[in-house]
Structures are given as structure tokens and as C-alpha cells.
Amino acid sequence: MSSETESHRAVYAADLSIDLEQLAIRESEQIEWKQNVADVDNVVQTLSAFANDLANLGGGYVVCGAQEVKDEHGFPKLVQTGLTANRLKEIEGQVLQRCRDRVSPPITPLVHEMPAENPATRLLIFIQPSTGHAHSVRIGDDGSKHWVRVGRETREARNGTLRELLVRKGAQQPWDRRLCTGATINDLDLLAIRDALQRMRVFSADRGVEAYLSDDAQLSAMVPPLCGREPMTNILRPRNFAILLFGRDPQRFIPGMVSLFSIYPGRDRSDVHAERHELAGTIIEQSRRLNELLDVQSFTTFDKSDRATPNSVKYPRRALYEAMGNALAHRDYEQTDPTRVTVFEDRIEVLSPGSLPLGVALEKFRTGEAAPRWRNQTLAWFFNRLQIAQAEGQGIPTILRTMREEGCPPPVFDVDEARVLCVLPAHPRYAMMRELRSVEQDLALGDWEEAQRSVVKVLDRDPTNVRALQLFAEVLTLLRDPAPLVKWLGTSGNEWTQLPREVLLQFSEALVSGAETTDEHRATANRLLARAAIGRLEERELRRIVVAMIRSRDHRNAIQLLDTYEKDHNEVQHSASFHQLRGDALIGMANKCLATARRSRTPNATRERSWSQFDEYAREAKDQLQKAANLNPDANLASVIQLNLSYLEEQMDKARRFRRPRRHSH
């Protein structure tokens, strides 16, 4: 034996003596005690399990000739019976031979002997480090099987456990990264790909969509190309995650890719008046539709008896989105069961097929303390970039936090080998919203006057009920009558400053929806929008506020808000929508200058300044709109941009016509 091998074994021997003392008094997944070694095949199975190392512990030890028992106080105690010299050599020879002949690929455990309590016997210790392979064992006529350690037991790896082992050892790619057998690039929707890439701000018009279908176009180091070459045929095929996200008919290749959304009026599934939606299409389309259906469930309740926190939502919208997003992104798509979202009177259940990923402890998962582990890493990446769900393990903590902050009972997570079930209990105050449901029904039926009478009655009793105020703004917008809202704002003092951003936006829209919007209405709307613009904004919120500011003719503050947002979000420089908004606001500023210059009573010096400012705003507006057009907006936005450019040209032509006569008269 070489000196290097002797040195290697000496290191293990030094470590092992320490380990034996420690492992004798505590449990360990890395050690197996065998007193008599009646079954040598069982030792081989355990050694292959340590080599497979599913728990990522580095390997393990099989100690022959020792037994772990409990002492009189219930603590672990090591009994060293030992093995005779003949029995020790017999076991060593059989184990090493079967590790070579029956394990594939073969393993070669290190062997070490240690003195036992009886001087006539010794302990035989097999040391098996973790390897980079997935090892199977062939015993008798049962065929080859893979074995893993689960806790302190050696078990056969089956189903999801076997798939996880093969993936970890590189014997098989994760399911979402595998090529979708039978599918071709013609089964991908190029418009859906372009839309998603634009939303993620990674689309390049110079390259076009087709460039992203090659087998080397990688969006991130965490995500492989959308397509890959089939080894034998060299055919370019989409990967499973590409079919999930962008497939034309994804259910043809992935039967389990269906979501069921059901509503039961009662507390169980016995009610015959259930509402059921079967959602197909891509996973992005399913998430969008599920969001719309879940939005209906996230309304605000009010309890007048609680002056500290009178307003509460039945279900926090963020918690619903995260539960839904987690179910879609992390489910096992090799199962044919659908993703299920079920609404009951007092709870919402979100069921995701497939157990937790291996290595995720259930208790830590329930408390939101589990380290990030993804079954479908590519889907998690896309969901995060498309803002469908959080990444980096933030989903469960977000659900726990938002439910707690809104005063809802904590979520319940029920997990078994077949599914992960997330139960979100409704807020206790939800029953108080029944009165406002009748208002919603009146709005849906077109009985707007009746809806106004009903919601005003609620506001007479509870003036700051958020949901009632939203419906109040909605009905006044439909009636195009902002006067009652102006009255409410006048009697509310400063209470309106504490309202959520969404309510302030709806109020501002209602104020400028009248048949004849007054300057007073616009000024009030501008105050509301200025308040709504305080704090961190998402891009969709920014757009809505800026559009409302433009409608209320507060173009200066609209531009300032856009400029401030751009300083903190450099990525909007690549957003067609952002440049279109800025161009529209600049057109508004140019129009104000044009109106000032055209007034007959405007002094000449002021008129010249107005013309100069008009030219500056018009040039900048044109530049912004052309930038927006060059960023490949969608069809609707492109149409708006062209209309605004045409309108701007008309205004610039009008300015030229008005300026010539005045210059000649001088």
C-alpha cells in the first residue's frame, strides 16, 4: 500500500475515534450501527446510500460490531461487542467484493479497524465519502435499485426522490430544463415570447424574436436557452419551461398544466351552486386569469367598533398572488393533477401537486425560515422577472407577513408526498361587507343611481370605509357627477390624506370625469395625485398617476414625477411607455405656451417667451415620442404614439401660421 493511501486512512482514523465518542451520545444521519452484520447486502445498500448522499452531508460510516442502546436514563449508549478476527475478515471481504460487483458505478469504501472493549474482538468501520454519481445496487432478481438515507434509515429511492437524486448527480437534467419531446419551435408563440421579453426589458429589436430560439441564446446564467438540440437527430426543440411559458397548446405536451378555480358559497364542497373555471393556456395566461379571479376575493372589510384599525381586507392581495405564484412555479409538472385554487366562505385553499423539494424542512417551511430551494428554477426566475411571484425564498415569508399585518389568521400549510396545500383563512370581519356587495351588484346591473344611494348610506355611518369610498368614486365616475365627492372631501378634514393610494387615484379620476370639469375640480384632483405620488411607486402605479395628472392638466408635476422616478429607476430609459408619458406631458406644456402666445392681451415680451418655450417643449416632446416609437411598443401603444406625433405636428404647424403675421406686422 502506498504511503499516500496510508496517510489518507490515518486522517480518517483520527477523525473517526472522535466521531464515535460523539455519535454514541447523539443521533446522526451519517452513521449506521451493525452489531452482528447478519445481512451483508444491507451494509452494501447503506454504503451506496452514503455515496449517493441525498442529504448533502458528505458521506457516512457503517460501524460493524457495535450497537447503540439507551441507558437507564434514556440517553444513547454505545455497546461495543466487537467482531472476531475471522468474522471481521469475512465481512470485510464480502462487503468490498459486492461494492465492486453489485454497485453501479462501483464504490470503494475505506476500511478501518478499532479496538473494542473486549481485547479478543475489534470494530470494523467502513467509511464511504459522497461521490458525484448516482449509485444503484443489484441484489438477487429484484433488479438494480437506488438507495438513500432518510433520517437514520436507508430507503429505496422512488418516484420524486429518485428523480431528485438523478438530477443532483447530473445523471438527469431537472424536468423544466429538459427538451420537450415531440415539440418543435413552431409550437412556441413568438408574440408571447416578445411580450414577455419586453416586460422584462431584455428584448432587442435588432436581434428579433427568432434569435432567442437558438440553442445558445441565454437570458441569464441561471436560465438555459429556450431551445436545445436533440442529441441523435440534431432537431431544435423547446425545453419544457419554454412550452410552459410560451407554448401555443402546452397541454398537448404537458397534460397536468391546468388550473382549476372553484368557488363554494359554504364551508365545504357539498354546495351544488359552485362556480368552476378550468384554465388552460400558458402558465403566464393562467397566472393572469387567476389574479383576476382572486382580485374579486380581496376586498376591504370595516369594523366601526375598532377605531384603531377599522379597515381590513378579507384576504391580502399580495398573499393571494404569492400563494398562487408559488403553486404554479414550484409544482411537479410530471404529475397530471391540476393546480387547484378553491374559495370557500371562510378560506381560500391553494393546492400545488408534488411534495416539498428534498432538503426543505417542513417546520422551517411553515415559519418562512427555509433556505431557497426550487423544483423549477427557470420558472422561479421568469416569475420573479415578470413580477408574478417573489424569488429567493421570499414567497412564504411574504404570505406570513401580509396576513399578519392585515390582521388575518396565520396561513396553514399541509404537506404530504403528493401535494403542498396552502390555506389562507379569511379576515374575521369579512361578513360585514355583505351590505357593500349589494352595491357591487347594482353597479354590475347598471343601476347606478341605486348604487349611489346605497353606498352613501354606508358612508353616512362609516365615512372612512375604504371599500365604500372606492365604490363611491366608481359610481360617481359612471354618473359623471363629481359634486358629491367634492362635498365629501370638504367635510372630511385631513382624513383623506390617510387614504390608500388606490383610493386617491380613483377620487382624482372621478373629479375630472364630469361633463364640464371645473378648475376647482382639477385643483382638487391635483392635490390628491400629489399625495398619491408620495412613497415608492411601481411602474404601473406611476403610469396611472401621470395619466391622471395629464387629464387634470397638471403637466408640470407630471414631468417632475417622471424625472424623479427616472433617477431611481434607470431601466425606464428603455420603456416605450415611459417616453410616451413624458412626451404627452410635454405636449400639454407646449399647448399652454401656445395658448398664452395667442392671447391678444399678452405683452410682446411675454409672447416671445411663450413662443420660445413652445418651441423647446414641442421639440422635446417630439424627441420623447420618437424614442418611444423606436423601442418597439405593442400595437396599442404604437397607435397612441403615432396619434400624438400627428397632433404635435398640427400644433407646431398652427404655431407657425400664427407667428408669421405678427412678425410681418412689426
Side-chain angles (χ1 to χ4, degrees):
M1 184 180 297
S2 69
S3 59
E4 182 180 352
T5 304
E6 290 286 359
S7 174
H8 187 48
R9 290 193 173 189
V11 172
Y12 271 97
D15 291 344
L16 190 59
S17 62
I18 298 173
D19 286 345
L20 283 176
E21 295 174 3
Q22 294 179 346
L23 295 175
I25 59 173
R26 64 180 176 86
E27 293 183 348
S28 172
E29 298 177 358
Q30 290 183 274
I31 193 162
E32 179 84 2
W33 307 98
K34 299 288 186 183
Q35 184 177 14
N36 297 317
V37 195
D39 186 358
V40 173
D41 286 336
N42 184 261
V43 174
V44 175
Q45 291 168 351
T46 300
L47 289 172
S48 72
F50 284 139
N52 286 333
D53 193 23
L54 188 62
N56 196 29
L57 298 174
Y61 310 85
V62 177
V63 182
C64 302
Q67 180 183 15
E68 191 180 56
V69 298
K70 301 290 185 182
D71 63 15
E72 64 273 17
H73 303 293
F75 294 106
K77 177 183 177 181
L78 185 62
V79 177
Q80 300 182 21
T81 56
L83 301 169
T84 63
N86 290 338
R87 181 61 176 155
L88 187 148
K89 292 300 180 183
E90 179 186 7
I91 293 172
E92 179 181 355
Q94 290 180 351
V95 168
L96 292 179
Q97 181 180 356
R98 296 183 188 186
C99 285
R100 289 192 302 269
D101 298 342
R102 299 186 180 184
V103 179
S104 179
I107 55 176
T108 307
L110 298 172
V111 182
H112 180 67
E113 297 178 16
M114 286 185 64
E117 294 175 351
N118 183 351
T121 62
R122 287 201 168 198
L123 302 178
L124 176 63
I125 303 163
F126 295 98
I127 309 164
Q128 180 58 57
S130 171
T131 74
H133 304 284
H135 300 273
S136 62
V137 181
R138 177 180 49 80
I139 296 176
D141 298 327
D142 292 341
S144 295
K145 297 180 180 179
H146 292 81
W147 299 86
V148 294
R149 293 286 285 184
V150 179
R152 303 192 68 190
E153 297 181 5
T154 299
R155 298 181 186 176
E156 181 187 350
R158 300 177 180 176
N159 303 325
T161 304
L162 178 57
R163 292 198 301 268
E164 178 75 10
L165 173 64
L166 296 176
V167 167
R168 288 194 183 187
K169 296 299 182 178
Q172 190 177 62
Q173 278 193 317
W175 177 87
D176 57 329
R177 293 170 177 255
R178 296 178 212 161
L179 299 183
C180 187
T181 305
T184 68
I185 59 174
N186 293 327
D187 294 303
L188 295 177
D189 187 336
L190 300 186
L191 291 178
I193 295 175
R194 187 184 69 177
D195 178 65
L197 296 179
Q198 286 178 335
R199 287 169 60 188
M200 294 188 297
R201 300 186 180 90
V202 296
F203 180 71
S204 171
D206 295 335
R207 299 179 63 189
V209 178
E210 289 78 5
Y212 294 91
L213 302 182
S214 70
D215 58 352
D216 60 358
Q218 222 170 324
L219 295 172
S220 164
M222 297 179 63
V223 179
L226 297 178
C227 302
R229 296 278 177 187
E230 198 170 49
M232 297 297 293
T233 65
N234 204 37
I235 295 175
L236 191 64
R237 298 194 185 279
R239 301 183 192 273
N240 283 326
F241 78 86
I243 290 292
L244 283 172
L245 292 163
F246 312 119
R248 293 184 185 276
D249 184 13
Q251 286 71 32
R252 182 157 57 97
F253 306 100
I254 308 171
M257 190 191 162
V258 176
S259 295
L260 296 181
F261 186 93
S262 305
I263 301 177
Y264 292 91
R267 299 192 176 189
D268 56 41
R269 291 178 169 83
S270 62
D271 199 304
V272 297
H273 300 290
E275 177 182 337
R276 187 172 182 272
H277 302 266
E278 183 174 322
L279 309 178
T282 68
I283 196 172
I284 297 176
E285 293 168 344
Q286 289 182 30
S287 69
R288 185 180 298 121
R289 182 66 180 129
L290 285 170
N291 277 350
E292 293 172 354
L293 293 167
L294 288 170
D295 279 343
V296 179
Q297 307 301 323
S298 182
F299 52 81
T300 305
T301 59
F302 180 82
D303 183 359
K304 190 175 181 179
S305 63
D306 189 345
R307 296 183 180 275
T309 55
N311 297 298
S312 300
V313 294
K314 183 176 181 180
Y315 302 101
R317 184 170 290 143
R318 187 74 256 172
L320 295 178
Y321 289 176
E322 288 298 329
M324 179 275 299
N326 281 346
L328 291 177
H330 303 303
R331 63 155 290 177
D332 184 352
Y333 282 98
E334 292 187 82
Q335 295 191 26
T336 57
D337 295 333
T339 306
R340 296 179 184 270
V341 179
T342 310
V343 180
F344 296 96
E345 180 186 11
D346 60 341
R347 69 194 185 282
I348 292 180
E349 297 182 354
V350 182
L351 186 148
S352 177
S355 63
L356 287 175
L358 290 173
V360 177
L362 177 57
E363 290 308 314
K364 287 190 175 182
F365 173 78
R366 285 172 169 162
T367 58
E369 299 173 350
R373 286 276 295 146
W374 302 291
R375 174 176 282 110
N376 307 303
Q377 186 184 52
T378 51
L379 293 184
W381 186 85
F382 273 97
F383 271 40
N384 176 251
R385 295 297 300 271
L386 293 170
Q387 298 184 355
I388 297 175
Q390 301 262 6
E392 299 297 335
Q394 300 172 32
I396 301 303
T398 298
I399 295 173
L400 293 167
R401 175 179 55 79
T402 53
M403 292 288 283
R404 182 177 61 251
E405 290 176 351
E406 293 294 345
C408 294
V412 177
F413 297 100
D414 187 11
V415 178
D416 60 29
E417 294 182 357
R419 87 287 188 272
V420 176
L421 178 66
C422 173
V423 182
L424 302 176
H427 195 284
R429 300 174 186 166
Y430 82 94
M432 301 179 65
M433 290 301 298
R434 292 175 182 171
E435 189 173 356
L436 289 177
R437 290 180 188 172
S438 64
V439 177
E440 294 173 344
Q441 292 174 350
D442 290 337
L443 286 171
L445 293 170
D447 296 333
W448 299 339
E449 289 80 5
E450 179 60 31
Q452 182 183 8
R453 285 190 289 269
S454 298
V455 76
V456 166
K457 289 180 182 178
V458 175
L459 289 174
D460 285 342
R461 299 192 308 272
D462 306 317
T464 57
N465 186 309
V466 171
R467 182 56 183 159
L469 290 171
Q470 288 180 308
L471 293 172
F472 185 48
E474 184 177 342
V475 70
L476 295 181
T477 300
L478 292 168
L479 292 171
R480 303 185 68 186
D481 179 17
L485 178 55
V486 174
K487 180 180 178 181
W488 183 90
L489 290 168
T491 58
S492 67
N494 289 326
E495 292 182 5
W496 66 268
T497 61
Q498 306 303 318
L499 293 176
R501 178 178 289 141
E502 178 67 24
V503 177
L504 296 175
L505 282 168
Q506 287 185 265
F507 277 8
S508 67
E509 291 166 355
L511 287 168
V512 297
S513 66
E516 295 182 2
T517 303
T518 65
D519 291 340
E520 178 188 359
H521 292 166
R522 289 195 180 91
T524 305
N526 291 339
R527 291 206 317 273
L528 297 175
L529 291 170
R531 180 69 187 181
I534 296 175
R536 185 178 180 85
L537 294 173
E538 294 182 6
E539 188 172 344
R540 59 182 179 81
E541 294 175 323
L542 172 76
R543 179 173 181 83
R544 190 170 174 187
I545 292 174
V546 171
V547 168
M549 285 180 169
I550 291 173
R551 290 187 62 190
S552 64
R553 301 181 185 177
D554 190 10
H555 306 97
R556 187 191 301 273
N557 282 327
I559 294 173
Q560 289 178 352
L561 179 59
L562 289 168
D563 290 345
T564 301
Y565 190 86
E566 185 179 11
K567 290 178 182 178
D568 298 328
H569 303 81
N570 291 330
E571 67 274 10
V572 297
Q573 296 175 4
H574 307 290
S575 169
S577 175
F578 180 85
H579 290 295
Q580 177 259 321
L581 285 176
R582 204 169 189 283
D584 288 358
L586 288 165
I587 288 176
M589 297 290 284
N591 282 339
K592 289 181 179 180
C593 294
L594 179 60
T596 301
R598 290 180 56 189
R599 289 195 194 102
S600 58
R601 296 183 180 181
T602 300
N604 289 337
T606 302
R607 179 176 290 111
E608 289 302 321
R609 278 193 293 271
S610 297
W611 286 127
S612 177
Q613 284 293 108
F614 172 84
D615 291 340
E616 183 179 338
Y617 286 131
R619 280 195 303 270
E620 190 176 355
K622 187 174 182 179
D623 178 64
Q624 291 290 310
L625 292 173
Q626 288 176 338
K627 279 185 180 179
N630 293 335
L631 287 169
N632 292 309
D634 57 47
N636 290 334
L637 186 58
S639 176
V640 172
I641 293 170
Q642 291 304 318
L643 286 173
N644 290 345
L645 281 169
S646 298
Y647 172 75
L648 180 60
E649 288 293 344
E650 292 175 2
Q651 295 299 90
M652 295 172 72
D653 185 61
K654 184 184 297 184
R656 285 191 289 269
R657 292 198 308 271
F658 275 105
R659 295 168 79 169
R660 283 195 202 101
R662 289 191 176 90
R663 288 178 176 175
H664 291 167
S665 64
H666 289 291

